[in-house]
Amino acid sequence: MDKIIKTLHLRLDSTSKSLTKNAVSQLIVRILFQSDKSLTIDQIGTEVSRLLNTSINIKRIDDGLYKLMEKNEIKLEEKKYILTRPNRRTLEKRYQESKDRLDRIIENYFVPFNSGKEIVIEWFSDATIEFFKAYSSEWISDLCYTKTEKLKTKKEDILAHIKRRTRHNKNLHPDDYELLIDKFINAIIYKKDSDLDAHLWQYGTSAFSANLLQASVGADPMSINAFSDSKCILDTNVLMNIGLEASEYHEAIKKLEIVFEKLNITPGYLAITETEYVKTSANKKGEILRAASKFSVDVLKETDDHFLQSAIKRQCHLLEDFETFCAQIANPPKKLDGTLDILLFNNDEQLDSEIASAQNDSKKKAIINDIYKKATGNDKREAPLIHDVGIIAGAEYYRKTEKAFILSQEISVNRYSHSKPVKEDLPIAIKLETLINMLAIDNGGTDVNPLDFSTLFANMIRFDLHPDKNTFQIADLSKILDNELQIEQLPAEEIIKIAQGLHINRLKGLSEEEISLSLNREFQDVKLKFIQDYDTVYENLSFEKRENEIKTKKLSQTEKALKDHIRQEETKNYESKVFRNKLKWFIIIPLTFIVLTCFGIYYYNNTEDSHFENYLIGIAINLVFWIISSLALTKPKLFKRHEELRLNLEKLIETRFDNETKT
């Protein structure tokens, strides 16, 4: 549950939304950088959607383009976007710097190895991706708070994780596995230089950017679970929008069909809604035909009536064409778009009885009318009022035995729903645009998991789509980390309450600003409550706390002294092994061969005249052989062995320390 809250907080928080716009802008910049021609907004949107593996609202692309235009990073030529020349030169320079930096890191920290250099570079990039998929928070913590050393506490976990991933790499030479992994851990956790810092910042901010982007798309699991396997009762105003090409919801409704099929949501309407629809459609027919008989098509095109605009989109020109259009919309639509049937729900006498009873209940009608009057200042007309009471009664009847909700644009129906508790995380009624937002119809839908940014992050690295180094600041990463840590520290029952409150506010159709404000207030209320609870017992615990702090301090000093002592011993052992190896291979073994050579010459020499020359030749041959073998064989082998000993030194120290401190 806390992961859902973290994701929704990223989606709703004002700071996070601003950072997400930066992330979208950087994707656009990189897409334009990799393109050899200018692109339209639709082409850019297609590329962004391909990378995200889902469609996103085109307005988000437009906002990103506007931001880049303001900063003079791109320009618009003949309705197409292209990088400015100075920005392209800057990006080319940074791209080359990144490649050169990666090459230097491999040379400085991973040589020697038996695999091809390009293979090692690719492995190192993949290993860094895997590192940030799992340990982004620890890296941010160590980056922002230098005393935390979170990565060191996760050393063994990181080692095991990278080992698992490396084991599947068939391109690496078998002799490189262990050595490369140890060098990776050593470089990531213990080494600090400008190249490594820049490399980690590039990957770390890419992971951060991917997290922001992924959190902004796709329906959250709470919404998916709430609406799955439910009955959707369509109100008249929603039925009127279905199938009309000029409706503002036309494209969303087409996508809604796909989501309904996937979540097993059954759309339908009540008999009272069918009656109201037919009456409303007949009234609309009169308006359409009067307008069509009085004005030309050119005049009708300028109206904002989506019925007339839909008729024109269907190539209606003559009065007879408009009559045909009216006949097409005279009865409720049979399909949500093209495949999913819209059902007539009234096949239950008890349902009809409950609807009729509610419509004759003056108190219920008064409640709905009061809600409408408070919102508009006017009384609701009798026929629509009776229909609203009836559709609510129908929904309440179904909700006794199954999940059901009304999809309506009617203000009185939705305001009434706000005053009633949700059941199985569903309200009695919800607005169409609220449902579209909750199921992320225009931003990924239910096919995208907003909780998992790993695939997007990997693609950003592999396709060189990482953000510019100045896109994010340490303070940005720190703020998001603090929010996540605060959520993690809250009790589970409080997390559930906050999640439920957030879900209800979204069901009500509150604006993102209102939802975000309410979410932050709930966090603060919970934090304050636990601070007050802590204060009540502080006096009883203060003495014990001080004593524990003193003991902990003494213990840490003792542990440090023990660890320093172990380090000194193991360092001496390491240096002793290095010295013995050098003494053995560079002095003892060469001298032994020289002595043996001299003995051989002494015993097998047949001429006295060349005796001294034979010794010189034998010694010279030994020296030449020793130099060649040292350079080609002995020195590299010793270096590799000493490097392995050095890399294992810290591990050996930790192992000894753990063994000696066990009680």
Side-chain angles (χ1 to χ4, degrees):
M1 187 64 75
D2 61 336
K3 197 167 185 180
I4 295 174
I5 293 293
K6 289 178 187 177
T7 300
L8 289 174
H9 193 276
L10 280 179
R11 183 178 294 186
L12 297 167
D13 180 69
S14 57
T15 301
S16 300
K17 286 197 288 186
S18 178
L19 294 174
T20 305
K21 285 183 180 179
N22 291 345
V24 173
S25 297
Q26 285 299 301
L27 273 189
I28 294 172
V29 166
R30 295 289 168 173
I31 288 169
L32 290 174
F33 176 64
Q34 293 182 6
S35 174
D36 56 359
K37 58 184 180 181
S38 55
L39 301 174
T40 65
I41 184 172
D42 289 334
Q43 289 172 324
I44 293 169
T46 299
E47 288 301 306
V48 172
S49 297
R50 182 179 61 83
L51 178 67
L52 296 175
N53 200 29
T54 184
S55 60
I56 68 168
N57 196 318
I58 198 67
K59 185 179 182 304
R60 297 181 64 187
I61 306 296
D62 191 42
D63 289 344
L65 290 167
Y66 181 76
K67 191 179 186 76
L68 293 170
M69 292 274 287
E70 277 189 322
K71 295 164 67 177
N72 295 318
E73 293 187 27
I74 63 172
K75 57 183 179 179
L76 181 63
E77 295 178 348
E78 298 179 352
K79 296 184 179 181
K80 291 186 176 182
Y81 296 90
I82 191 171
L83 293 177
T84 59
R85 287 184 179 179
N87 193 29
R88 179 168 287 277
R89 286 195 295 269
T90 299
L91 290 172
E92 286 171 350
K93 181 180 178 183
R94 288 174 182 168
Y95 176 74
Q96 189 59 47
E97 286 175 350
S98 179
K99 287 188 66 178
D100 293 342
R101 179 174 61 243
L102 189 56
D103 192 72
R104 287 194 302 272
I105 290 172
I106 297 299
E107 289 290 336
N108 292 336
Y109 292 100
F110 293 91
V111 170
F113 42 74
N114 299 291
S115 309
K117 187 173 183 179
E118 290 303 316
I119 291 173
V120 174
I121 288 175
E122 183 179 354
W123 164 82
F124 178 60
S125 179
D126 288 343
T128 311
I129 289 171
E130 289 301 322
F131 167 77
F132 276 105
K133 281 181 182 179
Y135 302 101
S136 286
S137 295
E138 287 81 1
W139 174 76
I140 293 173
S141 179
D142 285 356
L143 184 71
C144 300
Y145 313 107
T146 55
K147 294 182 179 180
T148 61
E149 295 189 330
K150 291 290 185 183
L151 288 178
K152 288 184 180 179
T153 66
K154 297 286 185 178
K155 178 183 172 181
E156 294 303 320
D157 294 337
I158 298 170
L159 181 66
H161 186 77
I162 301 302
K163 275 185 177 179
R164 284 195 299 272
R165 299 298 301 179
T166 302
R167 192 181 300 122
H168 300 293
N169 192 324
K170 303 301 182 184
N171 296 321
L172 286 174
H173 191 283
D175 292 344
D176 287 339
Y177 284 113
E178 294 298 326
L179 190 60
L180 287 177
I181 292 168
D182 285 340
K183 289 180 177 180
F184 177 85
I185 299 298
N186 188 54
I188 294 292
I189 297 179
Y190 296 106
K191 297 298 182 182
K192 293 289 180 183
D193 67 27
S194 57
D195 282 343
L196 273 174
D197 288 345
H199 174 76
L200 293 177
W201 179 258
Q202 184 183 87
Y203 278 64
T205 53
S206 294
F208 182 73
S209 179
N211 195 9
L212 289 169
L213 288 166
Q214 195 71 28
S216 70
V217 297
D220 66 275
M222 283 187 68
S223 298
I224 292 173
N225 291 335
F227 290 100
S228 293
D229 304 313
S230 63
K231 188 185 293 281
C232 177
I233 304 168
L234 303 173
D235 201 353
T236 310
N237 40 57
V238 175
L239 287 169
M240 284 289 179
N241 277 284
I242 295 173
L244 291 185
E245 294 84 349
S247 167
E248 62 180 308
Y249 302 112
H250 180 65
E251 290 301 319
I253 288 172
K254 290 173 71 174
K255 297 175 186 176
L256 200 64
E257 180 177 76
I258 299 170
V259 173
F260 271 31
E261 288 179 328
K262 183 173 181 179
L263 300 185
N264 193 31
I265 300 173
T266 305
Y269 53 87
L270 302 175
I272 56 172
T273 302
E274 182 181 32
T275 301
E276 185 177 69
Y277 180 97
V278 171
K279 187 182 296 184
T280 304
S281 181
N283 293 335
K284 198 65 187 176
K285 176 182 177 180
E287 295 176 14
I288 292 170
L289 295 181
R290 278 195 299 272
S293 63
K294 287 183 180 181
F295 304 105
S296 67
V297 173
D298 290 336
V299 173
L300 295 178
K301 284 180 179 178
E302 301 303 316
T303 67
D304 58 2
D305 186 291
H306 62 264
F307 285 91
L308 285 171
Q309 292 299 325
S310 297
I312 292 168
K313 284 180 179 289
R314 297 185 191 185
Q315 305 301 314
C316 293
H317 294 89
L318 304 174
L319 183 61
E320 291 82 358
D321 298 332
F322 285 95
E323 288 177 341
T324 301
F325 171 76
C326 291
Q328 291 171 344
I329 65 169
N331 294 298
K334 301 298 183 184
K335 304 280 185 181
L336 194 59
D337 179 47
T339 59
L340 185 60
D341 291 331
I342 299 176
L343 307 177
L344 176 60
F345 285 147
N346 284 70
N347 56 356
D348 186 333
E349 291 184 4
Q350 183 62 34
L351 169 65
D352 295 336
S353 174
E354 297 227 2
I355 290 173
S357 176
Q359 288 177 323
N360 292 320
D361 190 325
S362 58
K363 289 183 179 179
K364 291 183 177 180
K365 289 192 288 186
I367 291 171
I368 301 299
N369 187 62
D370 287 344
I371 292 172
Y372 184 83
K373 192 170 185 178
K374 285 179 181 178
T376 65
N378 301 309
D379 289 315
K380 196 174 183 70
R381 291 186 295 112
E382 183 68 13
L385 177 62
I386 291 174
H387 174 267
D388 289 352
V389 171
I391 197 173
I392 289 170
E396 289 176 334
Y397 170 78
Y398 280 124
R399 284 161 66 88
K400 293 175 183 177
T401 56
E402 60 184 307
K403 293 168 69 175
F405 66 96
I406 303 167
L407 189 59
S408 174
Q409 301 299 88
E410 177 55 50
I411 189 169
S412 53
V413 174
N414 282 293
R415 292 283 178 90
Y416 175 82
S417 176
H418 296 172
S419 66
K420 298 296 179 180
V422 299
K423 184 178 180 182
E424 296 184 277
D425 291 329
L426 276 182
I428 295 176
I430 188 172
K431 292 175 69 176
L432 180 56
E433 51 264 45
T434 302
L435 184 66
I436 289 169
N437 182 49
M438 292 194 71
L439 296 180
I441 302 301
D442 293 325
N443 278 295
T446 56
D447 292 327
V448 181
N449 182 4
L451 310 183
D452 183 10
F453 70 92
S454 58
T455 301
L456 175 58
F457 166 48
N459 288 338
M460 288 174 66
I461 294 297
R462 286 166 188 155
F463 301 141
D464 290 315
L465 295 167
H466 49 78
D468 178 66
K469 64 179 181 180
N470 297 319
T471 304
F472 304 111
Q473 304 295 325
I474 290 179
D476 301 330
L477 277 63
S478 174
K479 183 181 185 303
I480 302 301
L481 177 65
D482 286 348
N483 289 336
E484 291 188 355
L485 292 177
Q486 287 178 19
I487 293 170
E488 288 176 3
Q489 291 168 6
L490 295 178
E493 61 274 14
E494 296 297 334
I495 289 287
I496 293 172
K497 287 179 184 178
I498 292 172
Q500 289 173 338
L502 173 61
H503 181 69
I504 290 170
N505 284 337
R506 296 184 75 206
L507 290 172
K508 289 179 179 178
L510 300 183
S511 68
E512 289 192 349
E513 289 75 14
E514 290 175 301
I515 295 171
S516 179
L517 177 61
S518 176
L519 180 61
N520 286 324
R521 282 174 174 170
E522 286 189 64
F523 275 132
Q524 294 303 319
D525 287 344
V526 173
K527 284 165 60 180
L528 288 173
K529 184 178 77 172
F530 282 99
I531 289 172
Q532 290 169 359
D533 291 345
Y534 174 74
D535 286 342
T536 60
V537 297
Y538 177 77
E539 290 183 4
N540 296 330
L541 296 176
S542 59
F543 177 76
E544 183 181 347
K545 180 182 176 182
R546 286 196 299 272
E547 288 296 309
N548 286 336
E549 286 176 350
I550 293 170
K551 290 178 182 178
T552 301
K553 187 175 181 180
K554 287 181 178 179
L555 181 60
S556 63
Q557 291 173 344
T558 304
E559 289 176 344
K560 183 178 182 302
L562 176 58
K563 186 173 285 189
D564 288 343
H565 176 70
I566 294 171
R567 180 173 281 105
Q568 288 176 359
E569 287 186 355
E570 292 302 329
T571 302
K572 285 181 181 179
N573 289 337
Y574 164 73
E575 291 172 348
S576 177
K577 287 178 182 178
V578 170
F579 176 76
R580 287 198 302 270
N581 283 335
K582 288 180 178 179
L583 183 65
K584 173 183 174 183
W585 288 100
F586 293 124
I587 296 178
I588 295 175
I589 291 178
L591 284 176
T592 301
F593 273 97
I594 289 173
V595 171
L596 290 174
T597 300
C598 290
F599 272 113
I601 292 170
Y602 177 79
Y603 282 109
Y604 294 100
N605 188 45
N606 296 321
T607 59
E608 294 293 334
D609 296 336
S610 59
H611 191 70
F612 182 70
E613 290 180 1
N614 288 342
Y615 283 120
L616 288 178
I617 292 169
I619 293 171
I621 290 171
N622 272 276
L623 288 174
V624 170
F625 177 78
W626 174 74
I627 291 171
I628 293 172
S629 63
S630 293
L631 293 174
L633 184 64
T634 308
K635 191 173 181 180
K637 287 287 185 182
L638 280 181
F639 178 82
K640 185 175 181 180
R641 185 179 300 175
H642 295 161
E643 187 69 8
E644 290 174 352
L645 289 172
R646 187 181 64 79
L647 290 172
N648 286 326
L649 187 60
E650 284 298 322
K651 189 187 296 185
L652 188 60
I653 291 168
E654 292 295 333
T655 303
R656 272 196 58 189
F657 177 77
D658 290 340
N659 291 334
E660 294 185 22
T661 54
K662 283 180 180 178
T663 57

